Structure formats: structure tokens, C-alpha cells
Amino acid sequence: MILVTGGAGYIGSHCVRELQERGMDVVVYDNLVTGHIESVPNGVPFVKGDIFDVELLRQTFRKYGVDSVIHFAAYSLVGESMSNPAKYYHNNVAGTLALLDAMIAEKVGYLVFSSSAATYGDCGNGLITEDSPQNPTSVYGQTKLMMEQFMQDYDKAYGLKYVALRYFNAAGAHRSGEIGEAHNPESHLIPIILQVANGKRDHIGIFGEDYPTPDGTCVRDYIHITDLADAHIRALDYLKQGGKSTHYNLGNGNGFSVKEVIDMTEKVTGLSIKRAIEPRRAGDPATLVASSEKIKRELGWKPQYDSLESIISSAWKWHSSHKNGYDKD
Ligand code: UFG
């Protein structure tokens, strides 16, 4: 049985769907602070709980016979992490320590961990490999890096086997049209642009036009949520077959600027998107683009949504039919 923390969140819920579709046993553990109960599929057990609650975690591990954890539960906004670092260190770092305590006490030995491209910081304009230096520019990235470091030490001392997946920018929605991206308030680029397309916002603010990139706006590597989910399942299989703890980047290997993403959204939706230049957002590196060769080579992972157009089309299918996310339209 696999326990998914944050399984009612954006990335977690898509991974749960994928696990369920492949007939794997899964229990969702989520405090519903940012997650949505509506995203938990029928037939999947749900435990409302906090990752700080070691007792509840231990009981849940025993009750369901959990042998592995996929850990998504975390706050994940770069901008907010700069203005409220306490929230991030407390929840992401201390919360993960509590989860690891529960895992070690109950001898749950496999962990797939949701890490981030934000652990790298500014790496220049080249492709980032797993060996690129990790110097986060945001508190959020710093918390993810600290968690990776704990896991390394816990592997050496307690034999915890983990895979840390460093995602670049997750986007898109499930092909069923039943689940998708819904943050409140929304802060991510693609959903905000789609809210402009939906008429829910007047315009998209572009955070900075003076970065050292071809058009001056930040460049990111967008990766479809279903491709991310598939990587988690491969990583877990790998660990269960005796694989050593390791790290993988997950991206498409193509960088798109904020302006290019807006232009592509105009193409996909056929609508004109009003834009305005605003100041830089604290903590944003200029360019983050992945080399994902390692996971392709070692785990046979291959993204199915390999164009920005297919990723934005998938997101638009969800946003155009769920203008208010999981709330009734
Ligand atoms: N941006 C804007 N205007 C907006 C929102 C975003 O210009 O209204 C810009 C940002 O400045 C950034 C880019 O669009 O340059 C993408 O921003 P997102 O907030 O969508 O994503 P981030 O790159 O900040 O962060 C995301 C996840 C993190 C993850 C990171 C890894 O939120 O959890 O990708 O790259 F760590």
C-alpha cells in the first residue's frame, strides 16, 4: 500500500489517479489546507491529517499496511516563501522530519519525494543536470534542498531508500477533465493567463522584462502533470526492485519565456491576452531548463506531452470547463 501525502493537491491528485488507473493500492493523506477533497477518487481511502501528526501517520501506516510513501505535502509558492519564510521552514522542513520519524518508527522504507528545480537557483542559460550546483535563490528552494539532505543522511543511518524528483514547472490537467490545477489565490503563470482568457482577470502581469534572457522575461521548462505522475510510479518501482537512493530532474528540456507562454496561450485559445510589465518577483531565477537524460536513461521515462502547445491545450480544457476550479461555476 502506498501512502500519498498531499494526495488531494494539484500534483498529488494526478499521481493518485495514475496509481489507481494502474491498479495500485493507495491511501491519500492530506490536511486539505490547500488540497481539494473533490479530487480524491471514489474508492480511494482518505485520511484527513497533518504531516506533523506522527501518531496519526503511524496509525495510518499500520491500518493500511503501508510500505512506501510518495511525499507531496508542502507549501510551494516561491514569492510567498520570501515574505513568510517561517511558514515554509516550519511546514516543509519540520513537517518532513515528522513524516520521516513516523516512517522510521514503522519501518516504512521507501520514499519518493517531490523536490524542485528551485533547489538549483541561477545556473546560467544551459541545461541543468542533477550534478549542477544547488544554490537556491528562494526560501522555498532552500526548504526542498534541506529535505533532500535529510534523506541522504537518513539513508546512511537508517537505510531509508528514496528518490528525489526535481520537477521543473508542472502544468496541464488530467485527460478525464475531472481534475486540474486550482490554487486559491492562483499564483502560477499558465493558470493565471488562462484566467485572463476566461475573463476572470483583466490582464497578466509579467514579472520583470530585464532578465538576461532573449526577450528579457524569465525562461522556464514546462512539464505535463501526467508525465510527472508517471515518473513517480517508475521511481517507486525502481526502489522496490532494490534501486539505490538517487535524484532525477523532470522537465521537457525546452525553455519558454513568459512572453512565449502568453503568445502560445493566445494561439491555443484563439483569444487575445492583455499583458502589462510589472516589477520582478523576489526569488525568481532568470532561467530554469532541465536535462532529464538521467531518468530517461535509467528508468525509461519519456514525456508524452512534449510540446508547450499540448500542455497549454490540456490546461485550457480544464480551465475553460472549471472557471472556478473545484467550486461550482
Ligand atoms: N510569472 C509572471 N506573472 C505571473 C506569474 C508568474 O510573470 O502572474 C512568471 C514568474 O515570475 C516566473 C514564471 O512566470 O518567471 C513562472 O512562474 P510560476 O509561479 O508559474 O512558477 P515558478 O517558476 O515560480 O515556480 C514553479 C513552482 C515551484 C517550483 C518551480 C520550479 O511553483 O514549486 O516552478 O521551477 F519549484
Side-chain angles (χ1 to χ4, degrees), residues 129-190:
T129 70
E130 289 78 1
D131 299 325
S132 298
Q134 288 178 289
N135 297 305
T137 51
S138 67
V139 169
Y140 167 70
Q142 185 62 38
T143 66
K144 291 281 175 175
L145 182 57
M146 290 168 85
M147 293 185 262
E148 285 193 4
Q149 287 163 344
F150 300 155
M151 285 166 203
Q152 245 172 43
D153 293 338
Y154 279 39
D155 181 11
K156 282 188 206 133
Y158 312 121
L160 174 82
K161 293 295 167 221
Y162 70 93
V163 171
L165 296 174
R166 298 178 185 147
Y167 328 140
F168 285 62
N169 288 58
H174 194 260
R175 56 192 166 275
S176 65
E178 290 169 8
I179 55 172
E181 187 165 13
H183 300 108
N184 193 9
E186 190 50 75
S187 74
H188 292 86
L189 182 65
I190 292 177

Side-chain angles (χ1 to χ4, degrees), residues 75 77-93 138-140 142-143:
Y75 290 125
L77 302 179
V78 170
E80 183 188 57
S81 78
M82 302 306 282
S83 55
N84 192 357
K87 177 173 173 181
Y88 280 71
Y89 284 119
H90 192 66
N91 184 74
N92 294 6
V93 177
S138 67
V139 169
Y140 167 70
Q142 185 62 38
T143 66

Side-chain angles (χ1 to χ4, degrees), residues 266-294:
E266 290 190 326
K267 182 176 169 206
V268 166
T269 61
L271 298 164
S272 160
I273 310 283
K274 201 166 142 194
R275 51 192 94 182
I277 305 300
E278 293 181 6
R280 287 183 176 199
R281 182 175 68 179
D284 277 343
T287 302
L288 287 170
V289 183
S291 159
S292 302
E293 291 312 308
K294 186 178 168 200

